[in-house]
Amino acid sequence: MVALIVGGLAGGELYARHRADSILTEVGQCVVEDGVSISFGVNPPFLWQHITGHYTNISVTTAGNRVQSADGMTADVTLKDVRLQDSADSKGTIGSLDATLRWKSAGIKDTVAANLPGVGSLVTGVSTDPAAGTVILEAGSNSVTAKPVVTDGDLNLEVLDVIGPLPKDAVQTALNGLTKKLNDNYPLGIHADSVKVTDTGVVGTFSSQNASIPKEDANPCFARI
């Protein structure tokens, strides 16, 4: 009898974990527009978390192809104190969300090319200067030097120098349009906290506190939750 009970609980644990993994993978792939892998905290046992709708810790790692419109970006996300409690305007709450986004130089180049018609197609490469904290967009003998900065929770690119015929203000306006598109699309009240330039690209930390999980009419990606 004890063996049957233990076996039943183990089977229930595996089924619940598989079902939750399937649902959250679909949601994550829809949100980031890339493949994702999901893992869950083990305390308390996952079956209990699934029955109560209270998940203590969920980790999400993306495949690294893109995060929405940002090519070459990888996201590592940790969600804590997730409570599924259906209400009139939400499907529950997330106590805290912390994310690290890594954006490769080649991905920055491809994103600029895809999102800034005309100007973007001129960019032939992107390099970084970690000591100066800058990103250099190269276009033959011309270049744009920009500094990634966090302003009021948004990640922006501040143009420091332009070598070539394009006016600095015009370049800044174009980059503002790109970063606004990226910032505005992050769900769950996610905002930027810090950013640094590395040898391979840009790394930003993002977070959100006490976020509401939206209904499907507000964000179709969350329909299956």
Side-chain angles (χ1 to χ4, degrees), residues 98-161:
D98 294 288
T100 299
L101 303 185
R102 296 177 175 85
W103 200 5
K104 295 179 181 178
S105 296
I108 297 174
K109 171 187 173 295
D110 292 341
T111 304
V112 170
N115 289 274
L116 300 180
V119 175
S121 63
L122 301 176
V123 177
T124 56
V126 171
S127 60
T128 60
D129 184 343
T134 57
V135 174
I136 301 94
L137 309 179
E138 301 153 354
S141 60
N142 303 320
S143 66
V144 173
T145 301
K147 185 179 182 67
V149 296
V150 173
T151 307
D152 296 327
D154 287 337
L155 177 59
N156 297 311
L157 290 170
E158 179 185 339
V159 177
L160 301 182
D161 185 45

Side-chain angles (χ1 to χ4, degrees), residues 14-84:
L14 290 173
Y15 173 79
R17 188 177 290 270
H18 174 75
R19 178 169 173 76
D21 182 271
S22 174
I23 291 172
L24 291 183
T25 295
E26 184 176 314
V27 171
Q29 289 174 342
C30 180
V31 170
V32 303
E33 301 175 20
D34 195 9
V36 303
S37 59
I38 308 289
S39 61
F40 301 92
V42 296
N43 188 25
F46 184 79
L47 183 58
W48 180 254
Q49 297 183 55
H50 189 66
I51 291 172
T52 60
H54 179 203
Y55 301 88
T56 54
N57 190 307
I58 301 173
S59 297
V60 182
T61 301
T62 69
N65 298 305
R66 64 189 296 114
V67 172
Q68 298 180 345
S69 298
D71 289 322
M73 182 181 282
T74 302
D76 291 296
V77 185
T78 299
L79 304 95
K80 295 183 178 179
D81 191 18
V82 178
R83 298 175 183 267
L84 300 183

Side-chain angles (χ1 to χ4, degrees), residues 13 107 186 218:
E13 175 94 0
Y186 291 134

